[in-house]
Amino acid sequence: MKQQGVLWQNTETHTVGKRISSEELVTEDCKNGELYVCVSDEQIAGVFMFTKKPDITYREIFQGKWLNEKPYGTMHRMASSGIQKGVSSFCLDWCFKQCGNVRGDTHNDNYVMQNVFEKNGFKRCGIIYVENNTPRIAYQREN
């Protein structure tokens, strides 16, 4: 079977002063019951993390403001295998249906994810800084 795309790339992330791999993050998401898998024709089409717990990195936002301060869900670590078009939109819509107020963020050079957020009704709200002090573009969609 031909590989359709990279589902998850093992990279390192800094969090609270330590380095952890993507594999460790996904394992932790799974343990917390926050890792979701999107399946198409019995194949994994995408994965993402979703939680309704407040995200510590969203406490402060710069060069803008959040659309509201109501309780929200957060989507992180979305990855698509490339076997099905529209997977990212499907996953974001699923997240929105869970609580009607969703936040997410992405790297400045991740134009694909920026486009996915914007075409799915998310508004660019400003800049947040993750634990290792690197900036991310912050997005939110509300009812």
Side-chain angles (χ1 to χ4, degrees), residues 37-136:
V37 177
C38 180
V39 176
S40 176
D41 295 326
E42 299 182 15
Q43 293 184 319
I44 295 175
V47 297
F48 62 96
M49 179 272 210
F50 178 75
T51 185
K52 291 183 183 177
K53 297 174 192 167
D55 188 314
I56 192 169
T57 63
Y58 292 171
R59 287 184 185 164
E60 285 188 272
I61 188 167
F62 302 89
Q63 300 174 29
K65 65 179 187 172
W66 293 113
L67 301 177
N68 64 58
E69 292 301 326
K70 298 175 187 173
Y72 59 90
T74 303
M75 186 283 307
H76 285 303
R77 296 184 274 290
M78 182 178 294
S80 172
S81 66
I83 65 168
Q84 177 76 38
K85 284 190 170 201
V87 169
S88 297
S89 294
F90 178 87
C91 295
L92 280 173
D93 189 53
W94 182 91
C95 293
F96 189 71
K97 287 177 182 176
Q98 305 312 299
C99 65
N101 191 27
V102 178
R103 294 179 181 180
D105 62 84
T106 192
H107 295 264
N108 190 50
D109 61 355
N110 190 342
Y111 302 112
V112 171
M113 194 65 207
Q114 290 172 42
N115 183 54
V116 167
F117 276 131
E118 292 170 13
K119 82 175 188 178
N120 285 283
F122 284 74
K123 305 293 182 207
R124 189 181 292 224
C125 294
I127 305 295
I128 58 104
Y129 289 86
V130 295
E131 288 88 352
N132 69 353
N133 209 33
T134 59
R136 302 286 188 274

Side-chain angles (χ1 to χ4, degrees), residues 23 110 141:
E23 184 176 348
N110 190 342
R141 179 178 167 194

